[in-house]
Amino acid sequence: MDRPNLARRVRLGIPALLITTVAGYGQGQAPPNRALALVGGIVYASPTEDPIRNGVVLIREGRIAAVGRKGAVSLPRGTRILDCSGLAITSGFWNSHVHFLERKWNPAARIPAPELTRQLQEMLTRYGFTSVFDTWSTWENTRRLRERIESGEVSGPGILSTGEALIPKGGKPPEMIPEILGFTPYDVPEVANAAEARAAAVKLLDSGVDAIKLYARTFSPPIAALPETAIQAAVAEAHRRGKLAFAHPTNLEGLLASVNGGVDVIVHTTPQSGPWGPSVLAAMKKRGVSLIPTLQLWRYEIRHDRVSAQDRFVNNGVAQLRAWLDVGGTVLFGTDVGYMANYNPGEEYALMAEAGMDFRQVLASLTTTPAERFGLSARLGKIATGLAADIVVLNQDPAKNIRAFADVRYAFRDGKMLFSSRK
Ligand SMILES: [Zn+2]
């Protein structure tokens, strides 16, 4: 029964040691009776707890069965041991701003499973992202991708998605833009007013998206903005159903329209504007928004411009994040991969540290904060008994080097190995 699955794992180069332990999870089969123990690493069970040196994480039936010091955790007979000496162990990471718009994801229903698994590794799981929030793609296609992952046929992260973004009337990019960006041609709802925004939100939410995404103001020509009343109407529809609203701000005007319109998550800083002053920060704080800084994106976005302009753009974003941290603002990690072609998040970690975040704050933005924001903290975000075994094993200790967060040895989701850097 396990054979096709085993064969696929062998092709992916997952260590033979683990095959009998991890194969078959998440496929509706009875999981193997053998547990897996990650032994000997430094365990950061959550951003606020003391690290456990020489720790053990015991995984059984897709869940965390125990965590503690080596010797203090009893291992069931026959437990497979994965030596993690010298490595660091954390909860699985969230990337709360990704896109499945590139041509490589379409048609998700027909791309061979090993190819999809490999592509998901290259963009996400090799960097420890066991959960992602897709904040604009073609929902019908992303839904199929998610179904194939959840059926166990494709190995990949948990996916939440907004589906198509709501675009201001007249703001849809010219047809050549998706082609230039390497995207599958897409259709997006353009809305002019509250009634159209509500109707577009209803249609998307009825089709099963997890949140809505509002393009409050376009970033590139043609420049157009959503009226605040349109934002309010779409947000109200999402909130009525217990769903969140994300917004792309672009500049101060778009940011304030989003915040005042009731949006929950701001998906970028706004380097096109000047610094965020006290009144902007107070409005954001009062509304309880979460911020996804996407600092690494800014150098990428204007990579054809002079380096001095690139430096200014990045520094604006870093200063905005610093100001947001100073008022105690909430931060979610996200990089905009799938739009940004550079998948490696290492630079994002370095820039977050430059803005003043220590490794525990960065870890929170990757784990507990998104799990809480998205209503999943009963299952995800920490290494704790009973939670899903979504776990990242890093080659280095992120307390000593912030870029270690991008240096992943293994990634597990529901106890199943999604990625190993060992061939
Ligand atoms: Zn984006």
Side-chain angles (χ1 to χ4, degrees):
M1 197 169 179
D2 268 345
R3 187 149 304 176
N5 195 32
L6 283 171
R8 193 172 79 238
R9 291 193 167 277
V10 169
R11 282 201 302 276
L12 290 170
I14 287 174
L17 167 75
L18 286 164
I19 286 172
T20 53
T21 304
V22 298
Y25 278 29
Q27 301 195 20
Q29 307 167 6
N33 201 24
R34 297 179 85 178
L36 169 69
L38 313 181
V39 175
I42 183 166
V43 179
Y44 294 103
S46 79
T48 53
E49 291 166 72
D50 288 337
I52 304 166
R53 286 169 209 286
N54 203 7
V56 174
V57 179
L58 179 65
I59 299 170
R60 198 165 195 180
E61 296 180 13
R63 290 182 177 272
I64 295 158
V67 54
R69 279 188 77 89
K70 193 174 171 183
V73 174
S74 57
L75 303 181
R77 226 172 127 232
T79 298
R80 293 278 179 177
I81 304 291
L82 184 61
D83 181 14
C84 293
S85 303
L87 308 178
I89 304 172
T90 73
S91 185
F93 299 159
W94 280 84
N95 191 327
S96 299
H97 188 158
V98 310
H99 298 282
F100 294 106
L101 282 165
E102 289 175 276
R103 288 192 293 269
K104 65 176 69 169
W105 305 113
N106 193 297
R110 293 202 298 278
I111 297 169
E115 190 173 3
L116 276 180
T117 294
R118 188 173 143 205
Q119 292 179 175
L120 289 162
Q121 286 180 329
E122 285 171 358
M123 185 164 97
L124 299 166
T125 57
R126 67 161 295 180
Y127 298 111
F129 299 116
T130 55
S131 298
V132 299
F133 219 121
D134 157 53
T135 61
W136 174 358
S137 64
T138 298
W139 169 234
E140 188 51 33
N141 193 60
T142 302
R143 190 178 60 76
R144 293 294 293 124
L145 176 63
R146 176 162 84 181
E147 282 171 3
R148 292 185 71 189
I149 293 171
E150 294 311 311
S151 76
E153 187 202 357
V154 171
S155 286
I159 297 173
L160 296 177
S161 177
T162 67
E164 286 79 359
L166 274 61
I167 304 286
K169 195 88 187 168
K172 192 178 170 181
E175 264 171 35
M176 66 189 186
I177 295 294
E179 175 67 29
I180 290 168
L181 292 172
F183 296 170
T184 305
Y186 52 74
D187 200 15
V188 280
E190 281 187 278
V191 301
N193 53 44
E196 289 179 12
R198 184 180 298 109
V202 164
K203 193 174 169 200
L204 278 161
L205 290 159
D206 282 350
S207 72
V209 297
D210 302 293
I212 58 161
K213 163 78 174 287
L214 297 150
Y215 220 90
R217 196 179 198 280
T218 53
F219 188 85
S220 314
I223 298 298
L226 287 173
E228 195 177 307
T229 49
I231 295 174
Q232 274 168 354
V235 169
E237 189 57 37
H239 286 178
R240 198 170 67 75
R241 303 174 189 225
K243 302 281 172 77
L244 298 176
F246 290 64
H248 179 117
T250 295
N251 63 9
L252 226 42
E253 176 197 49
L255 174 63
L256 284 170
S258 302
V259 169
N260 295 329
V263 157
D264 306 288
V265 181
I266 303 293
V267 303
H268 296 292
T269 43
T270 64
Q272 284 180 324
S273 73
W276 288 349
S279 65
V280 174
L281 291 161
M284 292 168 71
K285 195 75 205 306
K286 185 172 161 227
R287 295 282 188 161
V289 299
S290 304
L291 173 69
I292 304 173
T294 68
L295 303 173
Q296 177 180 359
L297 173 69
W298 301 133
R299 191 174 300 283
Y300 176 85
E301 193 69 13
I302 63 165
R303 61 196 177 280
H304 306 297
D305 292 294
R306 287 172 56 186
V307 288
S308 56
Q310 293 179 30
D311 289 346
R312 269 198 305 280
F313 214 53
V314 174
N315 291 342
N316 283 353
V318 169
Q320 288 164 351
L321 174 57
R322 191 179 293 121
W324 181 233
L325 293 165
D326 284 346
V327 297
T330 302
V331 177
L332 301 171
F333 184 87
T335 52
D336 211 355
V337 282
Y339 167 74
M340 182 171 72
N342 175 10
Y343 295 160
N344 187 330
E347 186 68 16
E348 186 72 18
Y349 297 121
L351 290 167
M352 289 170 103
E354 196 181 314
M357 294 178 79
D358 64 23
F359 94 97
R360 288 178 182 279
Q361 287 172 293
V362 174
L363 181 60
S365 77
L366 286 162
T367 57
T368 46
T369 310
E372 282 159 22
R373 178 80 272 198
F374 305 139
L376 296 167
S377 53
R379 207 172 71 77
L380 300 173
K382 295 180 183 178
I383 300 179
T385 304
L387 267 61
D390 286 20
I391 290 170
V392 177
V393 180
L394 303 169
N395 284 313
Q396 314 165 51
D397 185 346
K400 294 178 180 154
N401 173 11
I402 200 75
R403 287 179 183 265
F405 280 122
D407 186 7
V408 171
R409 178 79 62 103
Y410 308 113
F412 296 89
R413 177 171 177 242
D414 292 329
K416 177 177 160 186
M417 190 178 274
L418 297 183
F419 171 75
S420 167
S421 66
R422 298 285 129 139
K423 296 296 172 204

mmCIF file with all atom_site columns, all heavy atoms in Angstrom, residues 97 99 135 213 268 336, ligand 1:
data_model
loop_
_atom_site.group_PDB
_atom_site.id
_atom_site.type_symbol
_atom_site.label_atom_id
_atom_site.label_alt_id
_atom_site.label_comp_id
_atom_site.label_asym_id
_atom_site.label_entity_id
_atom_site.label_seq_id
_atom_site.pdbx_PDB_ins_code
_atom_site.Cartn_x
_atom_site.Cartn_y
_atom_site.Cartn_z
_atom_site.occupancy
_atom_site.B_iso_or_equiv
_atom_site.pdbx_formal_charge
_atom_site.auth_seq_id
_atom_site.auth_comp_id
_atom_site.auth_asym_id
_atom_site.auth_atom_id
_atom_site.pdbx_PDB_model_num
ATOM   1  N  N   . HIS A 1 97  ? 3.049  35.915 3.075  1.00 0.00 ? 97  HIS A N   1
ATOM   2  C  CA  . HIS A 1 97  ? 2.853  36.659 1.821  1.00 0.00 ? 97  HIS A CA  1
ATOM   3  C  C   . HIS A 1 97  ? 3.573  35.928 0.686  1.00 0.00 ? 97  HIS A C   1
ATOM   4  O  O   . HIS A 1 97  ? 4.765  36.117 0.462  1.00 0.00 ? 97  HIS A O   1
ATOM   5  C  CB  . HIS A 1 97  ? 3.382  38.088 1.971  1.00 0.00 ? 97  HIS A CB  1
ATOM   6  C  CG  . HIS A 1 97  ? 3.056  38.981 0.800  1.00 0.00 ? 97  HIS A CG  1
ATOM   7  N  ND1 . HIS A 1 97  ? 3.023  40.353 0.899  1.00 0.00 ? 97  HIS A ND1 1
ATOM   8  C  CD2 . HIS A 1 97  ? 2.752  38.696 -0.495 1.00 0.00 ? 97  HIS A CD2 1
ATOM   9  C  CE1 . HIS A 1 97  ? 2.711  40.872 -0.275 1.00 0.00 ? 97  HIS A CE1 1
ATOM   10 N  NE2 . HIS A 1 97  ? 2.552  39.880 -1.146 1.00 0.00 ? 97  HIS A NE2 1
ATOM   11 N  N   . HIS A 1 99  ? 2.763  33.981 -3.492 1.00 0.00 ? 99  HIS A N   1
ATOM   12 C  CA  . HIS A 1 99  ? 1.834  33.915 -4.630 1.00 0.00 ? 99  HIS A CA  1
ATOM   13 C  C   . HIS A 1 99  ? 2.073  32.646 -5.438 1.00 0.00 ? 99  HIS A C   1
ATOM   14 O  O   . HIS A 1 99  ? 3.215  32.243 -5.632 1.00 0.00 ? 99  HIS A O   1
ATOM   15 C  CB  . HIS A 1 99  ? 2.029  35.126 -5.551 1.00 0.00 ? 99  HIS A CB  1
ATOM   16 C  CG  . HIS A 1 99  ? 1.735  36.433 -4.883 1.00 0.00 ? 99  HIS A CG  1
ATOM   17 N  ND1 . HIS A 1 99  ? 0.457  36.899 -4.680 1.00 0.00 ? 99  HIS A ND1 1
ATOM   18 C  CD2 . HIS A 1 99  ? 2.558  37.368 -4.361 1.00 0.00 ? 99  HIS A CD2 1
ATOM   19 C  CE1 . HIS A 1 99  ? 0.507  38.073 -4.064 1.00 0.00 ? 99  HIS A CE1 1
ATOM   20 N  NE2 . HIS A 1 99  ? 1.771  38.375 -3.847 1.00 0.00 ? 99  HIS A NE2 1
ATOM   21 N  N   . THR A 1 135 ? -1.525 35.510 -1.078 1.00 0.00 ? 135 THR A N   1
ATOM   22 C  CA  . THR A 1 135 ? -2.310 36.747 -1.034 1.00 0.00 ? 135 THR A CA  1
ATOM   23 C  C   . THR A 1 135 ? -2.627 37.309 -2.422 1.00 0.00 ? 135 THR A C   1
ATOM   24 O  O   . THR A 1 135 ? -2.717 38.518 -2.591 1.00 0.00 ? 135 THR A O   1
ATOM   25 C  CB  . THR A 1 135 ? -1.606 37.820 -0.178 1.00 0.00 ? 135 THR A CB  1
ATOM   26 O  OG1 . THR A 1 135 ? -0.348 38.114 -0.766 1.00 0.00 ? 135 THR A OG1 1
ATOM   27 C  CG2 . THR A 1 135 ? -1.388 37.348 1.245  1.00 0.00 ? 135 THR A CG2 1
ATOM   28 N  N   . LYS A 1 213 ? -8.267 39.998 -0.406 1.00 0.00 ? 213 LYS A N   1
ATOM   29 C  CA  . LYS A 1 213 ? -7.101 40.859 -0.611 1.00 0.00 ? 213 LYS A CA  1
ATOM   30 C  C   . LYS A 1 213 ? -7.550 42.080 -1.405 1.00 0.00 ? 213 LYS A C   1
ATOM   31 O  O   . LYS A 1 213 ? -8.171 41.947 -2.464 1.00 0.00 ? 213 LYS A O   1
ATOM   32 C  CB  . LYS A 1 213 ? -6.029 40.084 -1.397 1.00 0.00 ? 213 LYS A CB  1
ATOM   33 C  CG  . LYS A 1 213 ? -4.923 40.930 -2.037 1.00 0.00 ? 213 LYS A CG  1
ATOM   34 C  CD  . LYS A 1 213 ? -3.880 41.375 -1.027 1.00 0.00 ? 213 LYS A CD  1
ATOM   35 C  CE  . LYS A 1 213 ? -2.715 42.094 -1.712 1.00 0.00 ? 213 LYS A CE  1
ATOM   36 N  NZ  . LYS A 1 213 ? -1.826 41.202 -2.465 1.00 0.00 ? 213 LYS A NZ  1
ATOM   37 N  N   . HIS A 1 268 ? 2.633  45.068 3.055  1.00 0.00 ? 268 HIS A N   1
ATOM   38 C  CA  . HIS A 1 268 ? 3.936  45.673 2.756  1.00 0.00 ? 268 HIS A CA  1
ATOM   39 C  C   . HIS A 1 268 ? 4.145  46.910 3.641  1.00 0.00 ? 268 HIS A C   1
ATOM   40 O  O   . HIS A 1 268 ? 3.166  47.549 4.043  1.00 0.00 ? 268 HIS A O   1
ATOM   41 C  CB  . HIS A 1 268 ? 3.999  46.215 1.316  1.00 0.00 ? 268 HIS A CB  1
ATOM   42 C  CG  . HIS A 1 268 ? 3.887  45.215 0.230  1.00 0.00 ? 268 HIS A CG  1
ATOM   43 N  ND1 . HIS A 1 268 ? 4.855  44.278 -0.034 1.00 0.00 ? 268 HIS A ND1 1
ATOM   44 C  CD2 . HIS A 1 268 ? 2.908  45.019 -0.700 1.00 0.00 ? 268 HIS A CD2 1
ATOM   45 C  CE1 . HIS A 1 268 ? 4.483  43.553 -1.077 1.00 0.00 ? 268 HIS A CE1 1
ATOM   46 N  NE2 . HIS A 1 268 ? 3.301  43.971 -1.497 1.00 0.00 ? 268 HIS A NE2 1
ATOM   47 N  N   . ASP A 1 336 ? 6.744  37.838 -0.229 1.00 0.00 ? 336 ASP A N   1
ATOM   48 C  CA  . ASP A 1 336 ? 6.222  38.071 -1.583 1.00 0.00 ? 336 ASP A CA  1
ATOM   49 C  C   . ASP A 1 336 ? 6.875  37.159 -2.623 1.00 0.00 ? 336 ASP A C   1
ATOM   50 O  O   . ASP A 1 336 ? 6.948  37.511 -3.802 1.00 0.00 ? 336 ASP A O   1
ATOM   51 C  CB  . ASP A 1 336 ? 6.387  39.553 -1.983 1.00 0.00 ? 336 ASP A CB  1
ATOM   52 C  CG  . ASP A 1 336 ? 5.295  40.045 -2.918 1.00 0.00 ? 336 ASP A CG  1
ATOM   53 O  OD1 . ASP A 1 336 ? 4.447  39.242 -3.340 1.00 0.00 ? 336 ASP A OD1 1
ATOM   54 O  OD2 . ASP A 1 336 ? 5.294  41.249 -3.239 1.00 0.00 ? 336 ASP A OD2 1
HETATM 55 ZN ZN  . ZN  B 2 .   ? 2.420  40.190 -3.142 1.00 0.00 ? 1   ZN  B ZN  1
#
